[in-house]
Every structure is written in C-alpha cells, then in structure tokens.
Amino acid sequence: MSDHIVIEEAGGTWVVRAGGAVIGESSNALVLREGDLSDVIYFPKDDIATAFLDPTDHESHCPHKGDASYYDIQTKSVSLKNAAWSYESPSQDVARIAGHIAFYPDKATVEQV
C-alpha cells in the first residue's frame, strides 16, 4: 500500500444523511487516511439505501486508488450532484475499499452515532 494511505475499520456505528433523509447506517464502515487530507469514511454498499443514489457520467482517477465512479443523491427535498463516489476496481493496495461508497462532507453529513 502506498505509505501515505492507511485503511482501518472505522469502529462504532456510522450514519450518512442528506436532504433530510438517512442514506445509510453501518457498523462495518472503513476509514481511509491519506496524507494530510481529512479522513474519509467508506460505507459498505449493502449498508446504503442505493435507491437514493443515481450513477453519473462523472469519473476521476487517483494514481493511488484507481478510477472513481460518482453518484448523485436524490431525496424528496434535494438533488445533490456527484455527492458520492466509489472505486469499483480499486488498486490492489487499497482493495479493502472495493464495494464501498464515500460521501462529500459539503453534500452529506457523515457522523458516528
């Protein structure tokens, strides 16, 4: 693994909310720490209400993690563009985040409960 990326179990129960809706809750979340960046909580897809997520055409590439796919969050009150992302086939060094989704903190609230 890249020496500046650490992935660990997040511990406890984590919730993600957007537009007044609970999008997901998990006791199996991961925390990814990358250099000086803020920690990112990755939720298992099985713990997310994917009915709130619509895949978009937006993509990005990270030299350490691979290619990211993005999702809009659609709730009754709001549509949030490219608010979540996942690495469907991440680099081998960060393979633990496969099957997980992360959320931008300015578009969704992620908190430990």
Side-chain angles (χ1 to χ4, degrees), residues 12-93:
T13 301
W14 291 82
V15 171
V16 58
R17 295 179 179 88
V22 174
I23 305 297
E25 180 176 327
S26 182
S27 296
N28 298 305
L30 299 173
V31 59
L32 184 143
R33 295 181 176 97
E34 183 174 4
D36 294 332
L37 300 174
S38 297
D39 292 355
V40 176
I41 301 298
Y42 280 80
F43 289 81
K45 284 186 181 181
D46 290 344
D47 294 341
I48 299 296
T50 55
F52 288 103
L53 303 180
D54 288 331
T56 72
D57 292 334
H58 185 66
E59 297 177 345
S60 66
H61 177 78
C62 171
H64 305 290
K65 294 184 290 280
D67 296 324
S69 301
Y70 289 79
Y71 303 87
D72 292 343
I73 298 175
Q74 304 289 338
T75 70
K76 287 182 179 181
S77 62
V78 69
S79 177
L80 300 163
K81 296 291 184 190
N82 297 316
W85 72 92
S86 67
Y87 290 90
E88 300 302 316
S89 299
S91 301
Q92 184 176 0
D93 289 343

